[in-house]
Amino acid sequence: MSETGSNAGSTTQLLRQGSSVSLTGSTASGAPASGTASIRERRNWLIHLLYTRQDYFECLVLIEEQLQDCKGLCEYAIYIKALIKRANGELQESLQLFQAATVLNPHNVANLKQVGRSLYLLGKHRAAIGIYEEARAFSEEDWEVAHNMGLCYLYLKNYEKAEETFVKANVIQRHDATYMQLGKLYTLQDKYHEAIEIYLEALDYSPENPELLTTVGLLYLRLSENFKAFDYLGNSLTHDPKNPKTILAAGSIIQDHSDMDVALTKYRIAAVQTPNSAQLWNNIGMCFFGKQFYIAAIACLKRALYLSPFEWIIAYNLGLVYLNTGQYASAFHYFSASINLKPDFASSYMYLAITLNRLDDFENACSAYEKAISMERDHLFELNYAITLFNNDEPELARQHFQEFEACFSELDDETRQSDQDILDARGHLQGVFKRS
């Protein structure tokens, strides 16, 4: 997580504490400085300068000289060395240095916060909470302490305490980072409406934050409120037109409305930013599938599967493309793979049943249909099962499932009933056959 306001602010604070000695060896008031303090603090300004320039090698050399001169008792030098170690991924060494700085000045909240941060990054969340509790005793109204405690509770899945500390952090000082984490907390608990309310509250204070706008759009998309989703995603793209996550979401809505060319134009922009995104190539493949460019669709979906081999939706989509091109053995392979990865998606069983029937395995096709129907009541399952039964000389069973189809179909609204001409044609054909018999 971002440690907003931690490094720069803490560094400046320590610099103020340790920079009363000027280059000439006198204090700001003109009084003589003690020799020990002069040795400990005389290079703080230069250490700070090199650190802020990210000239870490020179900074570390200077820090070692400083520590040697003052026998390891320079708090600021140790603090900056710890920050550099953490930036280089040496978390354990960083933690030990921050602890050493805390020993030198146990009442400095900046040191305690950095010890807590290092413990958090090492995955020692309970220990980090203990350190933050200690820091809060010295600085009760500290947003960073409350926010980071919330992160620790979130990773420990103590959602109640996490919510409490995030809310307290926002009371102390509003931050987009805290709103984002609070919204994430609600999303993890499937409280999507509460998450949206939190994000909308954040947008009142940061109306041009593209990350917040995108997150709200994605939540509305999850709730199937596509128009609201597209509104927020479009607003996000006005502020950050090259955000691949936003483009992918907006493109998927455009794609769902069968405007494949516009969606592909959007995806072309995203591909420059994230050329190795499996979700992106999956969507591009399904755009080509919608345009009936089957070879291009298969190529894109195969690339997506290479990038993310355990993504069930990619295997499912490949099965659909192979089914449409009449390559039933390949379709069977990918539908089976999709079911193994996500066994609770009913439509996979229906398409597997269609594939098995095309492979002349009527018995297993019926089993797959029964499995799909047992999982979910859907008019399409019943219609395809009725067609399969009728084509395999089972007219009575076909009639029963057609009647189930009619019952499900009658419950749909008029727009949905008229949306797919293939369903209407199959329905009309079966109605005529059953009336004649």
Side-chain angles (χ1 to χ4, degrees), residues 12 57 83 109 115 120 124 151 165 169 205 239 244 252 301 384:
T12 306
F57 179 77
L83 289 177
V109 177
V115 171
Y120 166 78
K124 299 176 180 179
L151 290 176
T165 48
Y205 301 98
H239 301 297
S252 70
L301 289 168
N384 280 320

Side-chain angles (χ1 to χ4, degrees), residues 59-327:
C59 189
L60 284 173
V61 170
L62 184 62
I63 286 169
E64 291 304 327
E65 290 177 8
Q66 177 80 335
L67 291 174
Q68 189 173 0
D69 289 346
C70 64
K71 300 179 182 178
L73 297 178
C74 180
E75 177 192 355
Y76 187 71
I78 294 171
Y79 181 90
I80 294 297
K81 183 178 180 181
L83 289 177
I84 294 171
K85 290 288 185 181
R86 190 163 71 196
N88 291 333
E90 299 173 58
L91 296 178
Q92 191 62 47
E93 293 85 343
S94 169
L95 172 61
Q96 291 167 359
L97 288 165
F98 281 128
Q99 287 171 331
T102 304
V103 169
L104 290 174
N105 189 354
H107 300 303
N108 190 328
V109 177
N111 289 337
L112 289 170
K113 287 193 289 188
Q114 295 298 347
V115 171
R117 181 70 184 169
S118 294
L119 288 168
Y120 166 78
L121 293 172
L122 286 165
K124 299 176 180 179
H125 300 115
R126 294 187 193 281
I129 289 169
I131 294 295
Y132 285 128
E133 289 284 4
E134 188 179 339
R136 192 159 64 175
F138 295 113
S139 179
E140 191 171 343
E141 297 298 310
D142 190 311
W143 163 80
E144 191 181 348
V145 170
H147 175 81
N148 288 339
M149 280 181 72
L151 290 176
C152 293
Y153 282 124
L154 182 62
Y155 277 92
L156 291 171
K157 297 186 178 179
N158 188 342
Y159 296 142
E160 187 177 339
K161 290 290 289 182
E163 181 180 355
E164 181 186 326
T165 48
F166 283 137
V167 169
K168 182 170 182 180
N170 263 343
V171 169
I172 296 168
Q173 188 178 357
R174 291 186 179 92
H175 275 261
D176 290 349
T178 305
Y179 278 115
M180 289 295 294
Q181 291 302 324
L182 192 52
K184 178 183 175 182
L185 171 66
Y186 287 131
T187 304
L188 288 170
Q189 299 175 82
D190 296 333
K191 297 178 180 178
Y192 300 124
H193 293 288
E194 289 91 334
I196 288 172
E197 286 176 13
I198 286 294
Y199 291 132
L200 292 178
E201 184 184 337
L203 284 170
D204 289 340
Y205 301 98
S206 300
E208 296 182 358
N209 186 322
E211 188 178 2
L212 283 169
L213 290 164
T214 298
T215 307
V216 174
L218 291 172
L219 280 172
Y220 276 126
L221 190 60
R222 183 175 285 188
L223 294 171
S224 300
E225 296 186 40
N226 287 1
F227 289 110
K228 283 186 177 180
F230 193 72
D231 185 29
Y232 280 98
L233 292 168
N235 197 356
S236 176
L237 285 172
T238 61
H239 301 297
D240 187 5
K242 293 184 178 180
N243 188 321
K245 184 170 148 185
T246 314
I247 291 170
L248 192 62
S252 70
I253 297 173
I254 296 168
Q255 191 174 341
D256 288 342
H257 287 81
S258 303
D259 200 343
M260 304 303 176
D261 291 321
V262 175
L264 283 170
T265 302
K266 295 284 186 188
Y267 294 147
R268 189 177 293 116
I269 299 167
V272 175
Q273 308 296 320
T274 55
N276 295 322
S277 167
Q279 291 79 11
L280 176 64
W281 286 106
N282 173 72
N283 285 14
I284 293 171
M286 294 314 288
C287 275
F288 284 127
F289 176 62
K291 290 166 68 71
Q292 298 185 352
F293 296 162
Y294 296 127
I295 294 174
I298 289 170
C300 292
L301 289 168
K302 284 283 186 76
R303 179 167 183 173
L305 196 65
Y306 170 77
L307 293 168
S308 185
F310 299 110
E311 191 72 60
W312 71 271
I313 191 70
I314 301 172
Y316 174 80
N317 288 337
L318 268 167
L320 288 177
V321 177
Y322 280 123
L323 180 60
N324 274 269
T325 56
Q327 299 177 66

Side-chain angles (χ1 to χ4, degrees), residues 17-49:
Q17 294 172 352
S19 58
S20 59
V21 180
S22 70
L23 293 178
T24 58
S26 62
T27 62
S29 61
S34 71
T36 306
S38 175
I39 292 171
R40 279 207 304 265
E41 300 168 358
R42 64 185 177 183
R43 295 193 183 102
N44 283 1
W45 68 274
L46 186 53
I47 291 171
H48 175 75
L49 183 66

Side-chain angles (χ1 to χ4, degrees), residues 326-342:
Q327 299 177 66
Y328 302 126
S330 294
F332 170 78
H333 168 76
Y334 286 108
F335 284 132
S336 299
S338 175
I339 288 168
N340 286 331
L341 293 167
K342 188 174 176 63

